């Protein structure tokens, strides 16, 4: 079982470049999430999609856009990358958005903005 | 707003030592509580969960009890192994919020 697959695993960008991080899940989950992980900050929610066709802002949405392409795929786009967006990005999914169902995480994308 | 506070690390223990990682939370209502573990270079994995007061979650020798009166969910293990070396995150989920709120993580290193 692949679970949640993120691509790419590593990326280096220059300031001002754009990029799309891809995420796909094969568990038929309805809800999907994008987080960023920074040292000493834990994980912070960027955007989420409660179900196919819906997206909503999380705690730190500025500088990002998302697309829920279909039930399996949820992409994160940086339109004009900034050094402050250097981070590790995690995609996650859950069966629904209700609290007692765990989220399943991908292995992350390590992104550096120079 | 919701928040989770974990003990700061890093924590270094000898193999077979007893582990406690403290976690307290602030949230309205009755959130679900989770412990996730992150091994080096990997994503987070669910370790255990509890969905109501006095529930005890357990997995792989780890335990945590949902204490509503002290708003706590401390992680314990009686005898740690080198393979338990990882970063541990406490998290809460409040119904209707669609968001997991994470603590900052506690890095555990177990030495032989």
């Amino acid at each position: 079982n692949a679970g949640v697959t993120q691509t790419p695993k590593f990326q280096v960008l220059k300031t001002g470049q754009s990029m799309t991080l891809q995420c796909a899940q094969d568990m038929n989950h309805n809800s999907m999430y994008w987080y960023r992980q920074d040292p000493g900050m834990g994980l912070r929610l960027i955007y989420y999609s409660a179900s196919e066709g819906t997206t909503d802002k999380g705690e730190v949405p500025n500088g990002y856009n998302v697309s829920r392409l279909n039930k399996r795929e949820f992409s994160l786009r940086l339109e004009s990358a900034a050094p402050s967006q250097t981070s590790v990005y995690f995609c996650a999914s859950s069966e629904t958005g209700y609290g007692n169902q765990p989220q399943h995480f991908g292995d992350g994308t390590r992104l550096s903005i120079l | 707003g919701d928040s989770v506070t974990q003990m700061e690390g890093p924590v270094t223990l000898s193999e077979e030592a007893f582990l406690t990682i403290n976690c307290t939370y602030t949230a309205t209502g009755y959130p679900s509580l989770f412990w996730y573990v992150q091994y080096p270079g990997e994503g987070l994995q669910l370790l255990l969960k509890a969905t109501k007061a006095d529930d005890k979650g357990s997995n792989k020798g780890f335990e945590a009890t949902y204490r509503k009166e002290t708003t706590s969910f401390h992680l314990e293990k009686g005898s740690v192994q080198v393979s338990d070396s990882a970063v541990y995150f406490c998290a809460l989920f409040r119904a209707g919020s669609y968001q997991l709120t994470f603590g900052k993580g506690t890095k555990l290193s177990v030495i032989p």
Side-chain angles (χ1 to χ4, degrees), chain A residues 6 8-13 19 21 37 85-90 106-113, chain B residues 38-43:
Chain A
Q6 293 184 234
K9 294 188 183 303
F10 302 93
Q11 185 70 47
V12 178
L13 294 178
M19 175 165 188
L21 308 186
Q37 183 180 29
Q85 295 177 305
T86 293
S87 188
V88 182
Y89 291 85
F90 288 99
D107 286 342
T109 295
R110 285 148 185 82
L111 183 61
S112 294
I113 316 293
Chain B
Q38 184 180 31
Y39 298 104
E42 298 183 7

Side-chain angles (χ1 to χ4, degrees), chain A residues 31 33 35 37 40-43 45 48 50 57-59 90 97-108 110, chain B residues 32 34 36 38 40-46 49 51 87 89 93-105:
Chain A
S31 301
Y33 312 83
Y35 293 89
Q37 183 180 29
M41 299 291 291
L43 276 77
L45 183 67
Y48 66 95
K57 295 177 180 179
E59 182 184 355
F90 288 99
Y98 295 109
N100 61 353
Q101 295 173 358
Q103 294 183 12
H104 299 259
F105 286 79
D107 286 342
R110 285 148 185 82
Chain B
S32 297
F34 302 85
Y36 282 83
Q38 184 180 31
E42 298 183 7
L44 279 70
Q45 304 173 23
L46 178 68
K49 69 176 185 181
T51 58
V87 180
F89 291 92
F93 195 110
R94 180 168 49 81
S97 70
Y98 280 101
Q99 298 192 29
L100 265 175
T101 299
F102 286 91
K104 294 183 178 181

